[in-house]
Amino acid sequence: MKSSIRRSRRAGLAVALGSVLALTATACGDDGSGAAGDKGNEGSGKGEITFWDNNGGVRTDIWKEIIADFEKKYPDIKVNYVGIPAASAQSKYDTAIQGGGLPDVGGVGTAVLAEVAVQGALEPLDGRLAKSPLNGRLSQNLLDVSKSAGGGDALYQIPTSANNGTLWYRTDLFTAAGLDAPTTWSKFYAAADKLTDKGRNRFGFTIRGGEGSIAPALDAVYGQTGITSFWNGDKTTVNDPKNVAALEKYVALYKKDTPSADVNNDFTKMVAQWDSGTIGMLSHNLGSYQDHLKALGADKFKGIPNPTADDGTRVQISNPVDGLSLFKSGKNKAAAWKFIEFAVSAAENSKYNKAAGQVPANTDAAKDAWVQNAEPTKLAAEALNGTSTKIVQMPYYLPDWNTISKADNEPNFQKVLLGKMTAKQFLDTLAEQLDAAQADWKKNH
């Protein structure tokens, strides 16, 4: 509890410091450096703008292609590209917010969106989107994730792409066992049991127990219970009795229908283990598709969105969403907004996501042939864009979210798998920390 209190104080200090820095930047006046607090201006809609790619190196080639397309359409606008490695994007933005040098437009993922927005660095985009050709052309579910991640008051990010939880399953093993595809949780649990043969070192499922374990566990929990909100007032629903029961059922798979090594496996080890060919199902996102294809061949596996309830109801947690943000300090917001509109148009958003292997935010782009021909991506796009899908918004806006969900509770989840902590104790501890972080955020927001 003491560590939680310390984190809460740090979170409050961080927010307060951000406010002070923003006010200081404003008080110092406009020095042309683009610091938080500088209101910038619309500009002429022509001239130069600077774009920061928050996944430089990995996405540099495709962004340069999109920039070339943009400059061909708008020859009176030049885009200066700056590639920033994903691991240092947050610190780069923080430094520029404090000392100046922010871009006109940049990639800002939902994991850092609230921190950048709360320091006054981002332009609200609701009004611009309402008047834009993009209005009505973007996935509403992804827009909801973007808005929630920014704190819920305004839209600070135009989503470009998303990943999605995917249940990969061995079609050859399912066919041999006479099993239907694991499209519902009932079929999932039945398959996990039937495909397990410990004597032959075969297992129905591989559960993620190492780094990154909390998100798939919560996805399984909310997916089973159908609870659609992370909060009930100011209290989290994470330890609702239905969620406790769902987690108990899920972790009971460990060592019964999963390998014992799963307790330490992160996604790399888990994917490699599944690709070895002795495990029936794996819960991971679209990013591992090429690994499976190389290891197993196209005819031995499929990927579908995580299971639904028996009545077809689909509930899933929000995945991090990547997107583009307009910086308040920009001196040519009109040109920068043109760039955002162009980059997220159907043709360019399709091109970007085909290269990235992710789901397009533009719903017209999601209908393109490459998406339809890649069944896992097609099904993920349908789930993310479907009006029947209910998304539980994870509190990415909480300054302590990463600490709580990773440093504190990944070790606790391992204790649950090993029988050293009950599912209820685990979720109650998680809930206590989240409720404290939410109260602190509300106090300082």
Side-chain angles (χ1 to χ4, degrees), residues 347-387:
E348 301 300 318
N349 192 233
S350 178
K351 184 184 297 185
Y352 174 83
N353 281 284
K354 184 177 182 181
Q358 294 186 313
V359 179
N362 189 301
T363 53
D364 292 329
K367 299 172 186 175
D368 281 359
W370 72 268
V371 177
Q372 301 306 307
N373 292 335
E375 186 181 37
T377 307
K378 174 187 175 183
L379 295 174
E382 290 173 352
L384 284 171
N385 295 330
T387 56

Coordinates of all heavy atoms in Angstrom, one line a residue, residues 347-387:
A347 N -7.1 5.8 -49.1 CA -6.0 5.2 -49.9 C -4.7 5.2 -49.0 O -4.0 4.2 -49.0 CB -5.8 6.0 -51.1
E348 N -4.4 6.3 -48.4 CA -3.1 6.4 -47.6 C -3.2 5.5 -46.3 O -2.2 4.9 -45.9 CB -2.8 7.8 -47.3 CG -2.7 8.7 -48.5 CD -1.6 8.2 -49.5 OE1 -0.5 7.8 -49.0 OE2 -1.8 8.2 -50.7
N349 N -4.3 5.5 -45.7 CA -4.5 4.7 -44.4 C -4.4 3.2 -44.8 O -3.8 2.4 -44.0 CB -5.8 5.0 -43.7 CG -5.9 4.5 -42.3 OD1 -6.8 3.8 -42.0 ND2 -4.9 4.8 -41.5
S350 N -4.9 2.8 -45.9 CA -4.8 1.5 -46.4 C -3.3 1.1 -46.6 O -2.8 0.1 -46.2 CB -5.6 1.2 -47.6 OG -5.5 -0.1 -48.1
K351 N -2.7 2.0 -47.3 CA -1.2 1.8 -47.7 C -0.4 1.6 -46.4 O 0.5 0.7 -46.3 CB -0.7 2.9 -48.5 CG 0.7 2.8 -49.0 CD 1.1 4.1 -49.8 CE 0.2 4.3 -51.0 NZ 0.7 5.5 -51.8
Y352 N -0.7 2.5 -45.4 CA 0.1 2.5 -44.2 C -0.1 1.2 -43.4 O 0.8 0.6 -43.0 CB -0.3 3.7 -43.3 CG 0.3 3.7 -41.9 CD1 1.6 4.2 -41.7 CD2 -0.3 3.2 -40.8 CE1 2.2 4.2 -40.5 CE2 0.3 3.1 -39.6 CZ 1.5 3.6 -39.4 OH 2.1 3.6 -38.2
N353 N -1.4 0.8 -43.3 CA -1.6 -0.4 -42.5 C -1.3 -1.7 -43.2 O -1.0 -2.7 -42.5 CB -3.1 -0.4 -42.1 CG -3.4 0.6 -40.9 OD1 -3.0 0.3 -39.8 ND2 -3.9 1.7 -41.2
K354 N -1.3 -1.7 -44.5 CA -0.8 -2.9 -45.2 C 0.7 -3.1 -44.9 O 1.1 -4.2 -44.6 CB -1.0 -2.7 -46.7 CG -0.6 -4.0 -47.5 CD -0.9 -3.8 -48.9 CE -0.5 -5.1 -49.7 NZ -0.7 -4.9 -51.2
A355 N 1.5 -2.0 -44.8 CA 2.9 -2.0 -44.5 C 3.1 -2.4 -43.0 O 4.0 -3.1 -42.6 CB 3.6 -0.7 -44.8
A356 N 2.2 -1.9 -42.1 CA 2.4 -2.1 -40.7 C 1.8 -3.4 -40.2 O 2.1 -3.8 -39.1 CB 1.7 -0.9 -39.9
G357 N 0.9 -4.0 -41.0 CA 0.2 -5.2 -40.6 C -0.8 -5.0 -39.5 O -1.0 -5.9 -38.7
Q358 N -1.5 -3.9 -39.6 CA -2.5 -3.6 -38.6 C -3.8 -3.3 -39.2 O -4.0 -3.2 -40.4 CB -2.0 -2.4 -37.7 CG -0.7 -2.7 -36.9 CD -0.3 -1.6 -35.9 OE1 -0.3 -0.5 -36.3 NE2 0.0 -2.0 -34.7
V359 N -4.8 -3.0 -38.3 CA -6.2 -2.7 -38.8 C -6.3 -1.2 -39.1 O -6.1 -0.4 -38.2 CB -7.2 -3.2 -37.7 CG1 -8.6 -2.9 -38.2 CG2 -7.0 -4.6 -37.4
P360 N -6.8 -0.9 -40.3 CA -7.0 0.5 -40.6 C -8.1 1.2 -39.8 O -9.1 0.5 -39.5 CB -7.4 0.5 -42.1 CG -7.0 -0.8 -42.6 CD -7.1 -1.8 -41.4
A361 N -7.9 2.4 -39.4 CA -8.9 3.2 -38.7 C -10.0 3.7 -39.6 O -11.1 3.8 -39.2 CB -8.3 4.3 -37.9
N362 N -9.6 3.9 -40.9 CA -10.5 4.4 -41.9 C -11.3 3.2 -42.3 O -10.8 2.2 -42.8 CB -9.8 5.0 -43.1 CG -10.7 5.6 -44.1 OD1 -11.6 5.0 -44.6 ND2 -10.4 6.9 -44.3
T363 N -12.7 3.2 -42.2 CA -13.5 2.1 -42.4 C -13.6 1.7 -43.9 O -13.8 0.6 -44.3 CB -14.9 2.3 -41.9 OG1 -15.4 3.5 -42.4 CG2 -14.9 2.3 -40.4
D364 N -13.4 2.7 -44.8 CA -13.3 2.4 -46.2 C -12.0 1.7 -46.5 O -12.0 0.7 -47.3 CB -13.3 3.7 -47.0 CG -14.7 4.4 -47.0 OD1 -15.7 3.7 -46.8 OD2 -14.7 5.6 -47.0
A365 N -10.9 2.0 -45.9 CA -9.6 1.3 -46.1 C -9.7 -0.1 -45.6 O -9.1 -1.0 -46.2 CB -8.5 2.0 -45.3
A366 N -10.5 -0.3 -44.6 CA -10.7 -1.7 -44.0 C -11.4 -2.6 -45.0 O -11.4 -3.8 -44.8 CB -11.5 -1.6 -42.7
K367 N -12.0 -2.1 -46.0 CA -12.7 -2.9 -47.0 C -11.8 -3.3 -48.2 O -12.2 -4.0 -49.1 CB -13.9 -2.1 -47.6 CG -15.0 -1.8 -46.5 CD -16.1 -0.9 -47.1 CE -17.0 -0.4 -46.0 NZ -18.0 0.6 -46.5
D368 N -10.6 -2.8 -48.2 CA -9.7 -3.1 -49.3 C -9.3 -4.5 -49.4 O -9.4 -5.3 -48.5 CB -8.4 -2.2 -49.2 CG -8.7 -0.8 -49.7 OD1 -9.8 -0.4 -50.1 OD2 -7.7 0.1 -49.6
A369 N -8.8 -4.9 -50.6 CA -8.6 -6.3 -51.0 C -7.6 -7.0 -50.0 O -7.8 -8.1 -49.6 CB -8.2 -6.4 -52.4
W370 N -6.5 -6.3 -49.7 CA -5.5 -6.9 -48.9 C -6.0 -7.3 -47.5 O -5.6 -8.3 -46.9 CB -4.3 -6.0 -48.7 CG -4.4 -4.8 -47.9 CD1 -4.8 -3.5 -48.3 CD2 -4.2 -4.7 -46.5 NE1 -4.9 -2.7 -47.2 CE2 -4.5 -3.4 -46.1 CE3 -3.8 -5.6 -45.5 CZ2 -4.4 -2.9 -44.8 CZ3 -3.7 -5.2 -44.2 CH2 -4.0 -3.9 -43.8
V371 N -7.0 -6.4 -47.0 CA -7.6 -6.8 -45.7 C -8.5 -8.0 -45.8 O -8.5 -8.9 -45.0 CB -8.4 -5.6 -45.1 CG1 -9.1 -5.9 -43.8 CG2 -7.5 -4.4 -44.9
Q372 N -9.3 -8.0 -46.9 CA -10.3 -9.1 -47.1 C -9.5 -10.4 -47.3 O -10.1 -11.5 -47.0 CB -11.2 -8.7 -48.2 CG -12.0 -7.4 -48.0 CD -12.8 -7.4 -46.7 OE1 -13.5 -8.3 -46.5 NE2 -12.6 -6.4 -45.9
N373 N -8.4 -10.3 -47.9 CA -7.6 -11.5 -48.3 C -6.8 -12.1 -47.1 O -6.3 -13.2 -47.1 CB -6.7 -11.3 -49.4 CG -7.4 -11.0 -50.7 OD1 -8.6 -11.5 -50.9 ND2 -6.8 -10.3 -51.7
A374 N -6.6 -11.3 -46.1 CA -5.9 -11.7 -44.9 C -7.0 -11.9 -43.8 O -7.4 -11.0 -43.1 CB -4.9 -10.7 -44.4
E375 N -7.4 -13.2 -43.7 CA -8.6 -13.5 -42.8 C -8.5 -13.0 -41.4 O -9.4 -12.4 -40.9 CB -8.9 -15.0 -42.8 CG -10.2 -15.3 -42.1 CD -10.5 -16.8 -42.1 OE1 -9.6 -17.6 -42.0 OE2 -11.7 -17.1 -42.2
P376 N -7.3 -13.2 -40.7 CA -7.2 -12.7 -39.3 C -7.4 -11.1 -39.2 O -8.1 -10.6 -38.3 CB -5.8 -13.1 -38.9 CG -5.5 -14.2 -39.7 CD -6.1 -13.9 -41.1
T377 N -6.8 -10.4 -40.2 CA -7.0 -9.0 -40.2 C -8.4 -8.6 -40.6 O -9.0 -7.6 -40.0 CB -6.0 -8.3 -41.2 OG1 -4.7 -8.8 -41.0 CG2 -6.0 -6.8 -41.1
K378 N -9.0 -9.3 -41.5 CA -10.4 -9.0 -41.9 C -11.3 -9.2 -40.7 O -12.2 -8.3 -40.4 CB -10.8 -9.9 -43.0 CG -12.3 -9.8 -43.4 CD -12.7 -10.9 -44.4 CE -14.2 -10.9 -44.7 NZ -14.6 -12.0 -45.6
L379 N -11.2 -10.3 -40.0 CA -12.1 -10.5 -38.8 C -11.8 -9.5 -37.7 O -12.8 -9.1 -37.0 CB -11.8 -12.0 -38.3 CG -12.2 -13.1 -39.3 CD1 -11.9 -14.4 -38.8 CD2 -13.8 -13.0 -39.6
A380 N -10.5 -9.1 -37.5 CA -10.2 -8.1 -36.5 C -10.8 -6.8 -36.9 O -11.4 -6.1 -36.0 CB -8.7 -8.0 -36.4
A381 N -10.8 -6.4 -38.1 CA -11.4 -5.2 -38.6 C -12.9 -5.2 -38.4 O -13.5 -4.2 -38.0 CB -11.0 -4.9 -40.1
E382 N -13.5 -6.3 -38.7 CA -14.9 -6.4 -38.5 C -15.3 -6.3 -37.0 O -16.3 -5.7 -36.7 CB -15.4 -7.7 -39.1 CG -15.4 -7.8 -40.6 CD -15.7 -9.2 -41.2 OE1 -15.8 -10.1 -40.4 OE2 -15.9 -9.3 -42.4
A383 N -14.5 -6.9 -36.2 CA -14.8 -6.8 -34.7 C -14.6 -5.4 -34.2 O -15.4 -4.9 -33.5 CB -13.9 -7.8 -34.0
L384 N -13.5 -4.7 -34.7 CA -13.2 -3.4 -34.2 C -14.2 -2.4 -34.7 O -14.6 -1.4 -34.1 CB -11.8 -3.0 -34.6 CG -10.7 -3.6 -33.7 CD1 -9.3 -3.2 -34.3 CD2 -10.8 -3.1 -32.3
N385 N -14.7 -2.6 -36.0 CA -15.6 -1.6 -36.6 C -17.1 -2.0 -36.4 O -17.9 -1.2 -36.7 CB -15.3 -1.6 -38.1 CG -13.9 -1.0 -38.4 OD1 -13.4 -0.2 -37.6 ND2 -13.3 -1.4 -39.5
G386 N -17.3 -3.2 -35.9 CA -18.7 -3.6 -35.7 C -19.4 -2.9 -34.6 O -18.9 -2.7 -33.5
T387 N -20.7 -2.6 -34.9 CA -21.5 -1.8 -33.9 C -21.9 -2.8 -32.7 O -22.2 -2.3 -31.6 CB -22.8 -1.3 -34.5 OG1 -23.5 -2.4 -35.1 CG2 -22.4 -0.2 -35.5

